Amino acid sequence: MYNKNNTVTKKIYIKNMLGKCCLRAVKRDFEDAGIKVSKIKDNFAEIQFDPDKISMKTVSDILSVSGLSLIKTREEKIIEELKKAVHELIHEMNNVDSIAKKSDYIVGKLGLNYRYLSKIFSN
C-alpha cells in the first residue's frame, strides 16, 4: 500500500523471532536502516519504507544479520506459530503435564488438526 509520501506499508512475517530481545533488535536494526516500524509483535512486523531507496532484499538482509529471515509460505507461518506455542509451554507456562495434554494445548492454540501440524513440522 502506497501513501502520498511514496512510502509503502508492508506486514512481514519473520522466522525465528522469539523473545523480547529479538523484537527490540529487529526494531532497532530496521530504524537504523531508515525503515519505520509501526507495529512489531511475535513473528511479524508492520513496516513503512520508500521502495525507491529500500528493497525487500534489503529488508531480508537486515534480518539475516540477526539470524532471522522472512516467512514466505503458509507452512512456514504455521511452523513459527507451532514453535511459539512450544516456547510458551516450556518457558512461560512451566507446564509439567503429559505429552497428550501438551499436544492438545498446541492444537487448541493453532486451531489446526494434530496430524496436519505433525506432518508440516516433520517436513
Side-chain angles (χ1 to χ4, degrees), residues 18-25:
L18 289 173
K20 293 177 183 176
C21 60
C22 283
L23 298 174
R24 285 190 302 269

Side-chain angles (χ1 to χ4, degrees), residues 55-114:
S55 68
M56 286 305 293
K57 169 130 177 39
T58 303
V59 171
S60 182
D61 290 345
I62 291 167
L63 292 171
S64 70
V65 170
S66 298
L68 307 172
S69 61
L70 291 172
I71 294 174
K72 297 176 182 148
T73 67
R74 180 177 186 271
E75 285 79 15
E76 287 176 326
K77 187 176 176 189
I78 291 170
I79 289 170
E80 287 306 304
E81 291 173 6
L82 180 57
K83 289 187 328 190
K84 182 181 175 225
V86 170
H87 183 268
E88 287 173 359
L89 275 169
I90 294 170
H91 297 289
E92 296 172 19
M93 298 177 72
N94 199 18
N95 189 323
V96 292
D97 292 337
S98 72
I99 293 296
K101 291 192 179 200
K102 291 177 182 176
S103 64
D104 289 345
Y105 172 80
I106 292 169
V107 166
K109 182 87 174 170
L110 275 67
L112 296 169
N113 176 289
Y114 179 79

Side-chain angles (χ1 to χ4, degrees), residues 22-36:
C22 283
L23 298 174
R24 285 190 302 269
V26 167
K27 185 173 192 227
R28 183 196 63 231
D29 292 347
F30 279 159
E31 289 175 349
D32 288 350
I35 300 169
K36 183 179 185 237

